[in-house]
Amino acid sequence: RIELFMLPCFVSSHHVFLSIKRAALVSPRVCRGFTVPAAIHTSPANSRSRGSAYVFEGMASPAMSSAAAPITIAGFKELENKYAGFLIDLWGVLHDGIQIFPYVPDCIAKLRASGKLLVFLSNSSRGSEFIVPEMRKMSIDIRPGELITSGDLVRSQIRNPTDEHFTNFGRKVFSLGRGIESDSLEGLEANRVEEMEAADYVLMTFFADEGESVDGVVTSLEKARRLNLPLVCPNADVISYHGDSIRLCPGHFAQLYESMGGTSHYYGKPHSPIYQSAFEHLRRHGVDEKSQVVMVGDALPTDICGASRHGIDSVLLASGIHQQEMSLSDSRGLEALCAKFGATPTYVASGLRW
């Protein structure tokens, strides 16, 4: 199935500036794989604003006409007797990138008091050892061993390659990231190279703020393509909120690289590595059946699609990337939103409230 979405962007002969409208948060992605067919290049011929068409192609979920409509719940107390394990996203569920949602601590405390096993799943490119202290500063109670990030999985593979991709890559990595995201390679400096020509693959962790030039990263991707380097993307998210502003996430640039003819490998939701790691954790703690597990997230194309692909129930929250288009009282609008992404949650709720 192929779906189109137009993301407005403004292109000059020297820089690429993205004007990210809130409508861009609904860019449709189907559960299995997605590509961007046209790279954003800078050239005098493209000096006027234009729309960059995004095409997303892959395996759709079961036909939307046969999917049961999601059940609206007022709070998670309604699920207290249904599930033993809760997989919980961070961004858009616990916090907005800057501060915690005020109702979250109470809900987490009551889930714990009910004996639930909590596993926090994040598409962050960073290791969990860097994320947990930041969550504690927001008064978010994540205990040792409860957080799995896609960055954890990638860092583990860089240290000790075992999967089919990393065992074939070679050991030298060139990082496309900046700021705090650059700590994705902290402690792994022996594997890092400063010149792309010396690399075996590229690690994509770059974020772009609204209105920011992405010309430099596009140029780097074009160079990586000429060198025929594979790209590893821990964070498959395309767009996220940061307070009231919007960011382009690493998944956007990984898709862009695919549109150039490059190969991108993903480790976060909705892809299998992070879910398999979560299921292994659950089994070690006595939760063996997928029917006992529910995914809690704010994003249809990652959290909900991933849950559907891996055979577990899910709760879609209105506190994250769909907040501008999702109304719990508008069943038809919610149905259309789910159809756009080819994924339907089991439940919908306003937030992680008890």
Side-chain angles (χ1 to χ4, degrees), residues 175-203:
S175 176
L176 268 179
R178 62 180 180 183
I180 61 172
E181 296 300 324
S182 64
D183 66 21
S184 300
L185 289 175
E186 185 168 318
L188 301 169
E189 287 78 8
N191 299 88
R192 184 171 187 167
V193 296
E194 298 301 324
E195 299 295 332
M196 194 181 291
E197 289 83 357
D200 296 309
Y201 62 98
V202 173
L203 180 66

Side-chain angles (χ1 to χ4, degrees), residues 135-186:
M135 296 300 99
R136 288 177 178 161
K137 289 178 183 177
M138 293 187 192
S139 300
I140 296 173
D141 180 21
I142 296 180
R143 298 176 181 176
E146 286 185 334
L147 173 61
I148 302 171
T149 73
S150 49
D152 286 334
L153 306 182
V154 170
R155 286 169 58 81
S156 175
Q157 288 298 323
I158 293 173
R159 287 192 191 95
N160 180 31
T162 58
D163 77 13
E164 59 180 336
H165 303 309
F166 276 91
T167 52
N168 293 322
F169 281 163
R171 303 301 298 270
K172 300 302 182 183
V173 53
F174 179 84
S175 176
L176 268 179
R178 62 180 180 183
I180 61 172
E181 296 300 324
S182 64
D183 66 21
S184 300
L185 289 175
E186 185 168 318

Side-chain angles (χ1 to χ4, degrees), residues 200-222:
D200 296 309
Y201 62 98
V202 173
L203 180 66
M204 168 55 68
T205 64
F206 188 85
F207 281 81
D209 292 320
E210 187 169 354
E212 181 180 358
S213 170
V214 297
D215 199 40
V217 71
V218 171
T219 298
S220 294
L221 290 174
E222 290 172 333

Side-chain angles (χ1 to χ4, degrees), residues 8-270:
C9 56
F10 298 90
V11 185
S12 73
S13 59
H14 301 290
H15 299 281
V16 176
F17 294 92
L18 292 180
S19 176
I20 308 168
K21 298 185 181 295
R22 298 201 181 278
L25 293 174
V26 304
S27 59
R29 290 180 285 172
V30 185
C31 289
R32 180 185 176 188
F34 29 83
T35 59
V36 184
I40 305 172
H41 297 286
T42 59
S43 68
N46 290 332
S47 60
R48 293 182 297 175
S49 66
R50 62 181 177 86
S52 176
Y54 279 55
V55 176
F56 304 93
E57 182 177 16
M59 182 182 68
S61 294
M64 293 300 301
S65 59
S66 63
I71 300 167
T72 300
I73 59 172
F76 279 74
K77 182 173 176 55
E78 297 180 40
L79 306 183
E80 183 178 9
N81 298 321
K82 292 185 68 69
Y83 303 101
F86 286 72
L87 306 183
I88 302 174
D89 183 32
L90 300 188
W91 210 303
V93 173
L94 305 184
H95 63 86
D96 66 359
I98 296 177
Q99 60 186 2
I100 189 173
F101 297 126
Y103 43 77
V104 163
D106 175 67
C107 189
I108 290 177
K110 286 176 177 170
L111 286 170
R112 292 193 196 283
S114 300
K116 306 307 177 187
L117 180 61
L118 307 185
V119 182
F120 297 91
L121 290 189
S122 172
N123 270 3
S124 175
S125 304
R126 306 170 69 203
S128 55
E129 66 267 34
F130 305 111
I131 301 296
V132 169
E134 294 184 358
M135 296 300 99
R136 288 177 178 161
K137 289 178 183 177
M138 293 187 192
S139 300
I140 296 173
D141 180 21
I142 296 180
R143 298 176 181 176
E146 286 185 334
L147 173 61
I148 302 171
T149 73
S150 49
D152 286 334
L153 306 182
V154 170
R155 286 169 58 81
S156 175
Q157 288 298 323
I158 293 173
R159 287 192 191 95
N160 180 31
T162 58
D163 77 13
E164 59 180 336
H165 303 309
F166 276 91
T167 52
N168 293 322
F169 281 163
R171 303 301 298 270
K172 300 302 182 183
V173 53
F174 179 84
S175 176
L176 268 179
R178 62 180 180 183
I180 61 172
E181 296 300 324
S182 64
D183 66 21
S184 300
L185 289 175
E186 185 168 318
L188 301 169
E189 287 78 8
N191 299 88
R192 184 171 187 167
V193 296
E194 298 301 324
E195 299 295 332
M196 194 181 291
E197 289 83 357
D200 296 309
Y201 62 98
V202 173
L203 180 66
M204 168 55 68
T205 64
F206 188 85
F207 281 81
D209 292 320
E210 187 169 354
E212 181 180 358
S213 170
V214 297
D215 199 40
V217 71
V218 171
T219 298
S220 294
L221 290 174
E222 290 172 333
K223 181 177 181 179
R225 180 66 191 97
R226 290 194 298 272
L227 294 169
N228 199 30
L229 295 176
L231 183 145
V232 172
C233 181
N235 187 343
D237 292 348
V238 173
I239 295 174
S240 70
Y241 271 103
H242 187 70
D244 292 328
S245 64
I246 301 168
R247 285 179 167 176
L248 284 179
C249 297
H252 166 87
F253 298 102
Q255 290 184 28
L256 186 60
Y257 190 57
E258 289 181 299
S259 80
M260 297 174 177
T263 300
S264 296
H265 302 282
Y266 300 89
Y267 282 79
K269 300 167 290 182

